[in-house]
């Protein structure tokens, strides 16, 4: 077989796998009803780097906040071990099978950041644990709120979570020394279910504006499909104001005070969503301040938007990591489980901590332990 044909075969396999994935999506079960569960099992996963430090803070806070629910068995906090970079490399599995088994037995997950081996860092080419979990648990919507009330900013980002460049990120090919090719995928079902979730949120929250972000002028097939499918879903919500933007100008508009107050619900494909939400979190006060939710029909996983911050660990300042990000994710988790009262209580304590504490994460100011003590005091 010629070399070119071997790449054609590689591509054929990608197409087959994507067709199978779409079939699996079509046959997926409906949403699970958490309210009907006797016990809601929340799995906690420490992760790598600063993960164990911020998770320890968050667990202490949840144990106090949910004292009654934990005692009555309405909620169980279950620690899941083994999703560490060391164990993943030892097993050469992105998410070791026995860890995935434990994860599947939970209803909700609160996850610390996990390290992904990068090019040239001497580690084997393991896929991101997050990408694997989002795919395995079919967590199709990545939801990230950002609010700066004093500037009139109230954004919520709906990032597609299982497709785009990420679905095939480890299946690109180096053709030779001169050429490398990656692949990007958009599906009708994958886009439509995300768009529907975003429009439902907009409708249920007073018909907020919806903005769709793509680069459909350049990525004509994948982003073009994404945009036209979102516009199709919009037709079912005639009372909602909808506009669309290219991702480059959206990046600029987020820091333009003439425009940024007008954005509310923003729908984005995977890669642009990844980038734009970090920018938005930085505008809010840094990646350490923002939480995110990964929502599917059966499972939901909540986490900080940042990574494992290995530089903080290497510099000996990991204890200065801000647990607010993971705690904000916990607020989203409680709301998702309709535990509105504890969610609001925790949110108030986190707002007070943001006012009172100084946590730049550079080895100065307050530590994660100071943060925990402050929040526990206010619960
Ligand atoms: P990062 O988000 O880990 O950290 C970048 C910088 O942001 C840190 O050096 C630190 O200065 C600051 N920061 C991050 N979290 C903070 C906190 N809680 N408090 C204070 N400051 C904080 O970005 P990176 O260094 O590019 O990525 C490190 C690793 O994390 C990589 O392996 C990456 O793949 C992985 N990652 C994981 C996730 C996830 O698990 N969800 C997300 C992003 C990156």
């Amino acid at each position: 077989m010629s070399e070119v044909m071997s790449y054609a075969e590689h591509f054929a396999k990608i197409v087959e796998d994507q067709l199978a994935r779409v079939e699996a999506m079509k046959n997926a079960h409906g949403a699970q009803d958490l309210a009907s569960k006797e016990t809601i099992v929340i799995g906690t996963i420490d992760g790598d780097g600063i993960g164990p430090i911020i998770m320890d803070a968050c667990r202490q806070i949840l144990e106090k906040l949910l004292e009654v629910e934990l005692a009555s068995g309405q909620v169980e906090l279950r620690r899941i071990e083994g999703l560490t970079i060391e164990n993943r490399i030892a097993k050469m599995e992105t998410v070791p099978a026995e860890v995935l088994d434990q994860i599947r037995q939970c209803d909700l997950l609160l996850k610390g950041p996990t390290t992904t081996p990068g090019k040239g860092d001497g580690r084997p080419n393991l896929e991101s644990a997050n990408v694997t979990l989002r795919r395995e648990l079919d967590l199709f919507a990545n939801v990230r709120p950002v609010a700066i009330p004093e500037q009139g900013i109230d954004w919520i980002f709906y990032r597609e979570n299982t497709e785009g460049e990420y679905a095939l990120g480890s299946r690109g090919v180096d053709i030779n020394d001169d050429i490398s090719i990656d692949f990007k995928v958009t599906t009708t079902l994958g886009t439509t279910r995300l768009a529907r979730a975003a429009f439902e949120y907009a409708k249920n929250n007073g018909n907020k504006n919806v903005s769709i972000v793509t680069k459909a002028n350049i990525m004509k097939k994948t982003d073009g499909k994404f945009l036209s499918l979102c516009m199709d879903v919009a037709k079912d919500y005639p009372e909602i104001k909808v506009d669309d933007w290219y991702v480059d100008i959206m990046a600029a508009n987020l820091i333009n005070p003439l425009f940024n107050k007008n954005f509310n619900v923003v729908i984005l494909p995977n890669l642009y969503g990844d980038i734009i939400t970090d920018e938005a979190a930085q505008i809010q006060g840094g990646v350490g301040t923002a939480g995110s939710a990964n929502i599917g029909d059966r499972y939901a996983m909540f986490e900080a938007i940042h990574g494992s911050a290995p530089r903080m660990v290497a510099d000996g300042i990991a204890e200065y990591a801000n647990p607010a990000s993971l705690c904000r994710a916990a607020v989203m988790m409680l709301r998702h489980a309709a535990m509105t009262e504890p969610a609001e209580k925790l949110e108030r304590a986190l707002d007070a901590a943001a006012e009172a504490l100084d946590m730049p994460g550079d080895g100065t100011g307050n530590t994660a332990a100071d943060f925990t003590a402050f929040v526990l005091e206010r619960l």
Side-chain angles (χ1 to χ4, degrees), residues 6 29 34 39 84 104 140 180 201 232 255 279 291 327 334 341:
S6 79
H29 306 293
L34 283 176
T39 303
T84 59
R104 285 192 197 281
F140 59 83
S180 296
Y201 175 87
D232 283 348
I255 52 169
E279 182 195 356
C327 291
L334 295 169
E341 210 176 293

Side-chain angles (χ1 to χ4, degrees), residues 50 111 113-116 130 287 303 306-312 321-322:
I50 60 169
K111 177 184 163 292
T114 39
T115 297
T116 303
N130 266 32
V287 291
E303 56 180 349
H306 56 74
S308 53
R311 253 168 295 176
M312 288 184 81
N322 189 351

Side-chain angles (χ1 to χ4, degrees), residues 43-226:
T44 67
I45 300 171
D46 281 1
D48 300 306
I50 60 169
I53 293 174
I54 57 175
M55 182 59 82
D56 180 53
C58 201
R59 272 191 72 111
Q60 286 187 54
I61 289 165
L62 285 177
E63 278 163 11
K64 178 148 189 209
L65 181 73
L66 302 176
E67 214 167 1
V68 174
E69 292 83 352
L70 288 166
S72 69
Q74 192 192 333
V75 173
E76 180 190 335
L77 278 182
R78 189 181 290 176
R79 194 185 290 272
I80 296 176
E81 316 236 6
L83 197 68
T84 59
I85 187 69
E86 295 80 13
N87 192 38
R88 292 160 58 210
I89 290 177
K91 302 252 163 68
M92 274 313 287
E93 289 175 277
T94 303
V95 177
E98 75 279 6
V99 178
L100 190 56
D101 272 354
Q102 291 178 60
I103 286 175
R104 285 192 197 281
Q105 284 159 34
C106 299
D107 301 303
L108 302 172
L109 295 162
L110 189 62
K111 177 184 163 292
T114 39
T115 297
T116 303
K119 193 145 179 92
D121 68 4
R123 290 173 166 144
N125 175 23
L126 275 184
E127 188 180 43
S128 145
N130 266 32
V131 172
T132 306
L133 285 173
R134 288 167 184 168
R135 188 179 57 235
E136 290 294 325
L137 306 178
D138 204 18
L139 305 172
F140 59 83
N142 187 215
V143 184
R144 298 182 174 189
V146 164
I148 314 171
E150 61 278 16
Q151 292 178 31
I153 287 175
D154 176 20
W155 301 328
I156 186 158
F157 297 88
Y158 276 74
R159 164 189 169 193
E160 202 294 316
N161 216 14
T162 55
E163 305 195 337
E165 294 79 355
Y166 291 64
L168 301 167
S170 52
R171 296 182 69 180
V173 283
D174 289 320
I175 306 286
N176 57 28
D177 283 349
D178 295 318
I179 308 173
S180 296
I181 298 180
D182 276 315
F183 303 98
K184 169 166 175 166
V185 58
T186 298
T187 69
T188 301
L189 210 56
T191 305
T192 309
R193 62 186 183 176
L194 173 80
R196 188 136 329 261
F199 275 96
E200 278 297 305
Y201 175 87
K203 183 176 112 184
N204 295 332
N205 288 275
N207 289 330
K208 287 173 181 271
N209 297 340
V210 173
S211 303
I212 302 156
V213 176
T214 65
K215 193 72 184 168
N217 51 339
I218 304 297
M219 303 302 296
K220 292 183 194 298
K221 294 293 171 222
T222 46
D223 284 5
K225 185 179 183 66
F226 188 93

